[in-house]
Amino acid sequence: MKKKILIRIGSLRHGGAEKVLTTFLKNLPEDKYEIDLLLNLYSGKYLPEIPKWVNILYLNKGEMITTNRIQDIPKKAFRVIYQKLLKIFPQILYSKILKGKIYDIEFAAIHGLRDDVLNSPIKSSKKIVWIHNDLRMTDFHHYTDEEIRRFFGFDKILVISEQIQNDFTNLAKNEEERKRIVRIYNPLDTEEILLKSNAHKSPNEVLEKKIPNFISVGTVFPQKGFDRLLKVHKKLLDEGFGHQVKIIGDGYDFEKIRNLKSELGIDKTVEMEGFSDNPYPNFKAADYYILSSRYEGFPTVLFEALTLRKNIIATDVSGVREMLLDGKLGLIVENSEEGIYQGMKKALTEPESFEKYQEELKDYEMPFNLENSVNSIMKIIDEL
């Protein structure tokens, strides 16, 4: 008999957790589970990629509202109040939207849905949460020890990096709690990345090769530090170091970062492409991949850069030392504007210093593969 699984996530917008969940679902055997995917908001670039056999349900429909325009306020307020009511009275959600279905597994695909899943009226279900971020450092809320302890209400806590695993392990009160914490590498389809990187792009879609170019890919949130990247870019240009920057991604900070680009007078040397379902030809064309993040959980985008054998400059955030083998596979810099400046300046003044990373990358094999990651999560589901 198939296990009935409820997976919850905010939406399927262009974020790392959303991409990882989509990859996971695409690689599950079709006949093994009965899955309902419940979205708070039916929107996002990854919606078309969800397999047809997965049943998609939602609380609200339409695009995410990221502005406070007067005409948008009533709809925004309705969504917030409606979701709040369903959170306070989960019986309504489970009886009306989920039609009284009894699930074997309830799965919070992001940490923000912790309480929604833990407060489920289905007491018999086993509960799983997937932690994608360092909870000590988030844009909206820094979690205390006491708040992180509440995640031990789950039967399994999937974490994506050694640093996050250590944080949870230090807070576990006994062996039984420690056993709930499982480190899982994010499912990443390296074959798809290599295949897509060879897709044809018109000349204006890839970075020009006349001067050194840097690429950064990610959701345009404060977390990603694109403001720091632009300020460093401007400083280096003022010092006479010619180079280009390309940012691929979208998010609620997009207009703010685009405005900053104009304020700094760097519109001609910085391109903001927005979301792309295939950024890999641009990855391939770039000289350097730069991660300017203020914090991360385990930046999967670095594995994409490693797959394409890119020169990497990355701030010293959670997961980076683990992924770059403590600096063997790429340049790790201080998590600050000054750190990013020093890293980019080194690339522009001493490009030969990156040859050692290329030597290491020649024979580097990923510490996981897609099949192993998917099988590891399936094993957890099957054994609960």
Side-chain angles (χ1 to χ4, degrees):
M1 196 170 164
K2 292 181 184 179
K3 275 195 174 178
K4 294 178 176 64
I5 303 172
L6 176 67
I7 300 177
R8 297 204 57 178
I9 196 164
S11 71
L12 289 171
R13 63 173 180 78
H14 33 273
E18 292 79 2
K19 184 175 185 178
V20 163
L21 176 62
T22 303
T23 303
F24 171 62
L25 291 173
K26 281 164 67 176
N27 288 278
L28 278 181
E30 189 173 332
D31 57 352
K32 191 168 172 63
Y33 307 109
E34 187 181 317
I35 294 179
D36 287 348
L37 176 61
L38 177 59
L39 309 174
N40 285 354
L41 183 63
Y42 185 87
S43 75
K45 308 288 186 182
Y46 295 119
L47 269 173
E49 293 187 42
I50 300 297
K52 295 286 180 274
W53 61 269
V54 174
N55 181 35
I56 301 178
L57 302 159
Y58 55 87
L59 307 184
N60 288 295
K61 198 167 187 177
E63 287 308 305
M64 193 177 287
I65 301 168
T66 57
T67 61
N68 286 315
R69 295 181 307 177
I70 291 170
Q71 63 266 40
D72 292 333
I73 289 173
K75 186 187 276 191
K76 198 174 183 179
F78 170 79
R79 286 179 181 177
V80 170
I81 294 164
Y82 179 55
Q83 283 179 212
K84 189 82 173 170
L85 278 170
L86 292 177
K87 193 168 184 170
I88 297 168
F89 304 106
Q91 292 83 357
I92 299 171
L93 165 66
Y94 279 76
S95 61
K96 300 295 184 188
I97 295 172
L98 302 177
K99 311 293 185 193
K101 193 167 178 180
I102 302 298
Y103 295 97
D104 301 298
I105 305 277
E106 295 188 73
F107 196 153
I110 52 170
H111 69 266
L113 286 165
R114 175 194 65 193
D115 297 341
D116 302 70
V117 170
L118 288 181
N119 293 336
S120 162
I122 306 172
K123 301 307 173 193
S124 61
S125 68
K126 298 296 185 181
K127 295 172 177 69
I128 303 172
V129 64
W130 209 340
I131 311 284
H132 293 273
N133 271 321
D134 179 352
L135 299 181
R136 304 291 185 180
M137 302 272 294
T138 68
D139 288 336
F140 304 108
H141 183 69
H142 294 190
Y143 283 67
T144 61
D145 285 0
E146 188 182 341
E147 287 172 311
I148 293 175
R149 280 277 319 149
R150 286 167 67 187
F151 285 95
F152 284 95
F154 285 90
D155 296 281
K156 287 292 177 186
I157 303 163
L158 309 188
V159 297
I160 61 171
S161 76
E162 191 176 6
Q163 185 170 319
I164 301 171
Q165 183 180 24
N166 291 340
D167 196 11
F168 271 83
T169 302
N170 290 337
L171 291 175
K173 290 186 174 176
N174 51 51
E175 187 59 28
E176 192 273 326
E177 285 192 347
R178 278 189 284 277
K179 283 180 179 174
R180 293 182 203 175
I181 307 157
V182 185
R183 180 151 58 100
I184 298 279
Y185 279 115
N186 277 339
L188 184 70
D189 194 336
T190 51
E191 285 182 23
E192 182 184 49
I193 291 165
L194 291 166
L195 189 69
K196 282 186 167 183
S197 72
N198 292 318
H200 176 72
K201 284 270 186 181
S202 60
N204 65 339
E205 283 183 281
V206 293
L207 291 157
E208 292 175 32
K209 294 294 284 182
K210 295 173 192 169
I211 54 175
N213 47 65
F214 298 79
I215 190 170
S216 197
V217 180
T219 310
V220 187
F221 285 174
Q223 168 192 352
K224 301 299 179 182
F226 292 133
D227 55 325
R228 306 197 293 187
L229 176 57
L230 294 191
K231 288 171 186 171
V232 167
H233 170 62
K234 166 69 172 167
K235 184 177 178 182
L236 288 164
L237 286 177
D238 289 347
E239 291 175 3
F241 298 106
H243 64 291
Q244 295 172 314
V245 170
K246 185 161 192 164
I247 295 170
I248 298 178
D250 201 355
Y252 67 73
D253 246 16
F254 189 87
E255 288 305 317
K256 187 177 176 183
I257 297 298
R258 190 156 66 177
N259 290 339
L260 176 62
K261 176 166 71 88
S262 298
E263 286 165 22
L264 293 171
I266 50 177
D267 284 326
K268 288 184 178 176
T269 52
V270 176
E271 187 181 344
M272 293 182 69
E273 186 176 291
F275 175 80
S276 168
D277 58 1
N278 183 14
Y280 305 118
N282 277 308
F283 259 93
K284 201 172 177 182
D287 296 307
Y288 300 93
Y289 183 84
I290 182 150
L291 184 90
S292 54
S293 296
R294 290 182 165 88
Y295 67 90
E296 287 285 350
F298 200 65
T300 306
V301 70
L302 283 192
F303 271 146
E304 295 174 340
L306 289 170
T307 299
L308 295 170
R309 305 296 191 249
K310 289 287 95 185
N311 290 317
I312 293 170
I313 300 165
T315 49
D316 194 359
V317 292
S318 173
V320 165
R321 289 196 172 273
E322 196 176 337
M323 298 171 90
L324 297 183
L325 304 184
D326 234 359
K328 271 179 74 176
L329 302 180
L331 179 62
I332 302 171
V333 299
E334 182 185 276
N335 182 8
S336 65
E337 211 169 289
E338 177 62 21
I340 296 165
Y341 168 78
Q342 293 297 340
M344 290 179 73
K345 188 173 181 180
K346 188 168 188 177
L348 295 169
T349 58
E350 305 170 48
E352 68 283 353
S353 67
F354 284 79
E355 288 171 9
K356 63 185 178 188
Y357 305 126
Q358 287 299 316
E359 279 300 312
E360 292 288 344
L361 284 169
K362 273 180 191 172
D363 302 314
Y364 175 68
E365 285 186 27
M366 289 292 177
F368 68 96
N369 61 46
L370 178 64
E371 190 180 357
N372 286 347
S373 294
V374 172
N375 285 342
S376 297
I377 300 169
M378 281 171 57
K379 187 169 185 283
I380 289 165
I381 290 169
D382 294 344
E383 289 177 356
L384 277 175

